[in-house]
Every structure is written in C-alpha cells, then in structure tokens.
Amino acid sequence: AQSVTQLGSHVSVSEGALVLLRCNYSSSVPPYLFWYVQYPNQGLQLLLKYTTGATLVKGINGFEAEFKKSETSFHLTKPSAHMSDAAEYFCAVYTGGFKTIFGAGTRLFVKA
Amino acid sequence: NAGVTQTPKFQVLKTGQSMTLQCAQDMNHNSMYWYRQDPGMGLRLIYYSASEGTTDKGEVPNGYNVSRLNKREFSLRLESAAPSQTSVYFCASIDSYGYTFGSGTRLTVV
C-alpha cells in the first residue's frame, strides 16, 4: 500500500538557517509527489510538485525539493529561513484513482 | 477571487444533531473532495466526486454522506453527529496543477 512518512512532527530553525523537511514515500507505481503549506486557520496551498522529468523541483517562496527514486524520498529545502515560513508542511503522494495520500505534517518554527 | 468556498467556518453541534457542510468551486474543476484533518494524522479522505453525478468513498466515510449537486457544488452531511467527528473539514477541487483547498470548517461535537 502507498504511504507517506514525514520525519519529525516539529522542526525548529533560526532565521537565515537552512530549512530541511524530510519526506519518504512508498508507492508501487511511479509517484506524483507534492508539498503543501498550511498557515494558521487556512487551507493547504501547493508549494511544488513532481510529476515527471527533472528531479529537482522549484516552488514558491524559495522552496525546492528533490525526487530521489533510489531513496524513495522527496525532501523539502530552503537555503535561508524567514519568519514568514513558520507554518505546517505536508508531503503528499498521488496514487492514482483520484486519491492522494498525505503525510502527518511537520510544523516549522523559525526563531529570530 | 477564484477558488473554493466553504460554509460555515465554525460550528458546534450536540451529539445526534445533523448538519450539512457546503462547498462550491468556481474553477470549472471536474473532481472535488472532502477531507478531515486531525492533529498528527494529516488529511484523511472522506468522500470524493470524480465528476458531476458520481461520488465514491474514501478512507473514512462512516457517518457521512455527500451530494454532488452540480459541477460547482459538493456538500457533506453528518446525519447524527458524534464526538469522534470533531475535526476540521476541508473541501478541495483538483486540476493538473494540484489541489485547491477551501479555508476549512472547524466542527466541534459535544
């Protein structure tokens, strides 16, 4: 069965530091992979997605993610954290049949 | 603004009461979804509608019913609310770029 695992329910970084949010997936078919961000009291917004082609995907707000098939990973990174990046981040895998599996989420804290 | 609109934003129900959560999208998307979000569990799919006139169960359909009224609207009904249905509910529609989510309905069942 397909699944998504996000390592770490909470991640804390200092402003200006590297952001790394980890996501591993399992899928029996080539996956479509997504990262979404959720700010307080809002719905989820698409940050970036991987479908096919280039494995390094750039998204909004300076985030990027790399699809590594051999490691079944799709980690999200940003070189320099900003206070406005504080939010909850969800990794997701599209499994076909109109269904997407979401990870449990990682809450990012940014310290001044 | 184009997007997904959910009503109400907040609701408190007593156990056994019924209610309908409304959702409408104006992006002409075929597929619409209802998710629930609980702490530490991500989003879990309740029901979805691949196209107008069709609905299918997701991961956690028990206690819910849905209606795809037309291409724009997809409602979620709780016939007899239970405390276990206390959650934040999100409606979403999808195109090739990914999901567009509504801002959610925070439901408390006491």
Side-chain angles (χ1 to χ4, degrees):
Chain A
Q2 287 81 359
S3 66
V4 177
T5 302
Q6 292 184 238
L7 300 177
S9 58
H10 296 85
V11 170
S12 181
V13 301
S14 298
E15 192 172 22
L18 171 71
V19 175
L20 171 60
L21 305 181
R22 300 178 187 273
C23 174
N24 288 90
Y25 69 92
S26 67
S27 175
S28 57
V29 298
Y32 287 7
L33 297 161
F34 304 83
W35 277 99
Y36 288 85
V37 60
Q38 184 181 31
Y39 298 102
N41 301 314
Q42 295 186 25
L44 279 69
Q45 302 172 31
L46 181 66
L47 266 181
L48 50 79
K49 70 172 185 178
Y50 168 81
T51 55
T52 60
T55 56
L56 182 62
V57 180
K58 296 187 184 298
I60 62 172
N61 301 336
F63 284 94
E64 62 183 34
E66 186 170 11
F67 169 57
K68 292 188 176 181
K69 183 178 179 180
S70 61
E71 298 177 9
T72 60
S73 69
F74 191 57
H75 301 331
L76 181 70
T77 61
K78 182 174 180 178
S80 177
H82 191 274
M83 296 297 289
S84 61
D85 295 326
E88 190 157 20
Y89 293 81
F90 292 90
C91 181
V93 57
Y94 176 65
T95 62
F98 299 97
K99 297 179 182 178
T100 297
I101 305 298
F102 287 84
T106 297
R107 186 167 296 280
L108 176 66
F109 297 93
V110 182
K111 300 175 292 186
Chain B
N1 292 334
V4 177
T5 302
Q6 289 184 237
T7 56
K9 293 188 181 302
F10 301 94
Q11 184 70 49
V12 178
L13 290 179
K14 294 182 178 178
T15 297
Q17 287 186 318
S18 63
M19 79 162 295
T20 299
L21 281 63
Q22 307 287 351
C23 174
Q25 54 94 7
D26 57 7
M27 296 170 288
N28 203 36
H29 292 167
N30 287 320
S31 300
M32 298 184 72
Y33 300 74
W34 276 105
Y35 285 91
R36 61 177 289 173
Q37 183 179 28
D38 302 289
M41 302 187 73
L43 276 74
R44 292 183 291 168
L45 181 63
I46 305 171
Y47 271 93
Y48 68 99
S49 171
S51 61
E52 185 179 355
T54 69
T55 61
D56 286 284
K57 295 179 180 180
E59 181 184 356
V60 289
N62 291 344
Y64 305 95
N65 285 300
V66 290
S67 296
R68 184 72 183 267
L69 305 170
N70 47 55
K71 192 170 186 179
R72 292 187 62 249
E73 298 173 287
F74 187 39
S75 62
L76 178 71
R77 183 161 179 82
L78 287 71
E79 291 291 350
S80 179
S84 61
Q85 294 178 304
T86 293
S87 187
V88 181
Y89 292 84
F90 288 100
C91 178
S93 64
I94 194 170
D95 63 5
S96 59
Y97 293 99
Y99 284 102
T100 299
F101 285 88
S103 58
T105 296
R106 188 172 296 273
L107 175 67
T108 301
V109 182
V110 297

